[in-house]
Amino acid sequence: MSQLNDFLVNIPDKPGVIATRVGNVGTHMARLKGLVETGTIVMSGPTLAAHPKSADEGLAINGSAWLVRAGSEEEVRAVVADDVYAKLGVWDLDNVTVTPFKCAVRKPL
């Protein structure tokens, strides 16, 4: 078994995909739940162009961010590619960034 390392993952959306994203959020979240339960994903959520200025303003979602525990960048990219958002063309896979990360402080997993 390989050693698990932390990776920060930034996954931008392609333009004009919010309807596809929203329409498939249930499938996306169901898969993420399993990955969180196995410890592969430590945290995830949408990235925003800006935070809403009021409670009734919608979210300006422009991608996703994850903290992933995996043995290699290749493993991380495989997890990303297997998501419904990747398969349906929501995510801009050509511009995903996977950054090795060494967490210094966190709540125990």
Side-chain angles (χ1 to χ4, degrees):
M1 182 172 141
S2 66
Q3 175 183 342
L4 295 179
N5 297 297
D6 293 335
F7 296 88
L8 295 174
V9 185
N10 185 39
I11 313 162
D13 282 0
K14 292 179 180 176
V17 296
I18 194 68
T20 304
R21 176 186 261 277
V22 171
N24 290 279
V25 71
T27 302
H28 170 71
M29 294 302 294
R31 177 172 178 268
L32 287 182
K33 181 180 178 190
L35 292 169
V36 168
E37 288 172 355
T38 63
T40 300
I41 292 184
V42 177
M43 76 86 201
S44 81
T47 57
L48 308 174
H51 284 287
K53 292 182 177 33
S54 66
D56 60 339
E57 184 179 341
L59 296 177
I61 297 172
N62 61 9
S64 300
W66 291 356
L67 175 55
V68 178
R69 294 195 39 82
S72 68
E73 179 177 337
E74 293 76 19
E75 289 177 23
V76 173
R77 289 187 181 278
V79 172
V80 171
D82 197 38
D83 193 277
V84 67
Y85 288 167
K87 293 176 181 179
L88 292 176
V90 171
W91 286 338
D92 181 354
L93 296 179
D94 292 334
N95 288 298
V96 171
T97 59
V98 178
T99 305
F101 175 71
K102 183 66 174 170
C103 186
V105 178
R106 81 164 136 217
K107 187 176 180 177
L109 297 175

